């Protein structure tokens, strides 16, 4: 089933199915693709959707079943925890903004389970649809201080009081899956101001005004800082997009190769400065580099001052504390340039 776009890992639960032969596996796979995947991808209102600029749905699973069987689909084919192929025995769904799908699955060794996964409505090409609603923004300043002091002894609690948790509400929107690249920026704007050159590296050294202009030229906009945080958290309430602890291989931050006092000496992210976009695993919404690589301009003024714009996400030279999803950086005038500041667009 290598033509499916994601890999599923689940905890097999015996349900008494018989072992599946290779031929039967192949036949069932073909039946599934023809019977269920094709109709999902087909669109009865194809002409209308083309006129409206909509995309056809793609398969993207992001949730877990009521029995807490973890679903983690981030590869190219379905398999269980032992890398055995999975036969999909049934699928039932319903329409709407999302589609809840019940999968009865069986691994090659006969173990199986039933899981419920979620098929989100797709965003525009290259973007991810972020659900609207209320969420808790920010982080307890005491927790932020404790996390900061793990890596930098001079941290002060007053740095984090503007992160005091508060309920925020955002409408549903779409966010670029990746940070804006130099190739994309140069194609639209006709120049590349970046200090670290590479077509698939994030564009940096851009002012807020240039980032705003680029997004508008491609029919998008900069996200507000509350949209950005909602997207960064990926549906969770954890400190970092991936969890509550700093981990290697998750983001491009100030690591052991960094020259600053706040570096994470136990982390080696593989890059001295910027890394190609998408070099690290996505968060729960499928967004890459929501922590590290380059800071990202937002549309938001800090405390209603149009002379100060809020940056989010941290960068290749920022300490772990700055890459927390709730961290707000507000020392930047919209006309300034830095080789660690870039952006991504929303819609």
């Amino acid at each position: 089933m290598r033509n499916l776009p994601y890999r599923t890992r689940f905890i097999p639960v015996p349900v008494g199915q018989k072992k599946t032969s290779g031929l039967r596996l192949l036949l069932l796979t073909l039946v599934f693709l023809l019977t269920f995947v094709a109709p999902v991808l087909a669109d009865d209102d194809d002409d209308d959707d083309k006129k409206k600029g909509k995309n056809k749905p793609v398969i993207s699973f992001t949730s877990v079943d009521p029995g807490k069987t973890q679903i983690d689909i981030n590869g190219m084919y379905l398999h269980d925890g032992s890398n055995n192929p999975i036969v999909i025995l049934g699928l039932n769904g319903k329409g709407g903004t999302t589609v809840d799908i019940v999968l009865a699955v069986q691994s090659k060794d006969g173990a199986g389970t039933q899981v419920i996964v979620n098929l989100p409505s797709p965003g525009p090409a290259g973007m991810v649809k972020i659900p609207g609603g209320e969420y808790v923004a920010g982080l307890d300043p005491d927790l932020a201080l404790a996390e900061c002091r793990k890596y930098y002894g001079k941290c002060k609690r007053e740095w984090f009081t503007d992160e005091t948790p508060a309920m925020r509400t955002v409408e549903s929107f779409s966010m670029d899956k990746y940070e804006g690249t130099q190739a994309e920026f140069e194609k639209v704007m006709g120049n590349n101001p970046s200090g670290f050159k590479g077509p698939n590296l994030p564009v940096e050294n851009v002012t807020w005004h240039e980032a705003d202009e680029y997004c508008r030229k491609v029919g998008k906009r900069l996200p507000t800082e509350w949209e950005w945080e909602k997207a960064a958290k990926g549906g969770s309430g954890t400190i970092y997009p991936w969890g509550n602890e700093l981990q290697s291989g998750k983001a491009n931050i100030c690591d052991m190769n960094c020259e600053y006092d706040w570096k994470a000496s136990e982390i080696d992210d593989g890059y001295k400065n910027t890394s190609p976009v998408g070099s690290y695993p996505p968060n729960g919404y499928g967004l890459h580099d929501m922590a590290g690589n380059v800071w990202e301009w937002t549309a938001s003024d800090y405390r209603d001052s149009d002379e100060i714009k809020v940056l989010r996400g941290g960068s290749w030279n920022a300490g772990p504390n700055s890459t927390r999803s709730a961290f707000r950086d507000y020392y930047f005038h919209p006309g300034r340039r830095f080789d660690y500041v870039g952006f991504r667009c929303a819609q």
Side-chain angles (χ1 to χ4, degrees), residues 254-267:
C254 186
D255 63 348
M256 63 175 59
N257 302 305
C258 190
E259 61 186 23
Y260 300 104
D261 293 342
W262 51 79
K263 66 182 178 182
S265 300
E266 73 278 21
I267 300 294

Side-chain angles (χ1 to χ4, degrees), residues 15 20 31 71 78 80 87 95 100 129 140 150 175 208 224 281 308 339:
V15 292
T20 304
V31 169
I71 304 301
L78 297 174
D80 65 15
V87 179
D100 294 321
K129 191 75 171 180
D140 186 314
K150 290 180 181 179
M175 179 82 93
W208 181 91
T224 68
I308 304 175
D339 61 7

Side-chain angles (χ1 to χ4, degrees), residues 133-269:
E134 193 175 52
Y135 76 99
V136 179
L139 183 70
D140 186 314
D142 290 325
L143 291 177
L145 177 63
E147 191 67 16
C148 184
R149 285 181 173 170
K150 290 180 181 179
Y151 308 98
Y152 188 57
K154 300 178 182 179
C155 301
K156 299 179 181 180
R157 189 181 187 278
E158 64 194 55
W159 295 354
F160 313 115
T161 54
D162 65 349
E163 294 181 29
T164 301
M167 299 304 298
R168 302 285 179 180
T169 302
V170 298
E171 299 294 327
S172 178
F173 65 100
S174 294
M175 179 82 93
D176 280 350
K177 188 174 183 179
Y178 304 105
E179 293 167 324
T181 67
Q182 295 175 31
E184 292 169 334
F185 189 87
E186 187 168 9
K187 181 179 180 180
V188 173
M189 303 294 285
N191 66 91
N192 179 11
S194 302
F196 308 112
K197 300 294 187 182
N200 202 40
L201 291 175
V203 63
E204 19 87 2
N205 265 327
V206 290
T207 68
W208 181 91
H209 300 290
E210 290 168 337
D212 179 65
E213 182 182 0
Y214 171 90
C215 290
R216 292 181 184 279
K217 281 187 173 182
V218 297
K220 303 177 185 179
R221 58 177 175 80
L222 288 173
T224 68
E225 69 160 318
W226 306 122
E227 288 176 331
W228 193 98
E229 185 171 336
K230 166 78 172 180
K233 290 185 172 181
S236 74
T238 55
I239 294 176
Y240 300 100
W242 56 82
N244 287 321
E245 298 293 335
L246 188 66
Q247 298 178 29
S248 292
K250 297 294 187 180
N252 182 9
I253 64 173
C254 186
D255 63 348
M256 63 175 59
N257 302 305
C258 190
E259 61 186 23
Y260 300 104
D261 293 342
W262 51 79
K263 66 182 178 182
S265 300
E266 73 278 21
I267 300 294
D268 186 356
D269 57 42

Side-chain angles (χ1 to χ4, degrees), residues 86-97:
I86 290 174
V87 179
I88 298 180
L89 302 176
L91 182 151
N92 294 294
K94 58 183 179 181
T97 57

Side-chain angles (χ1 to χ4, degrees), residues 262-283:
W262 51 79
K263 66 182 178 182
S265 300
E266 73 278 21
I267 300 294
D268 186 356
D269 57 42
Y271 296 91
K272 187 175 182 180
N273 37 65
T274 57
S275 55
V277 300
S279 294
Y280 302 93
N283 71 358

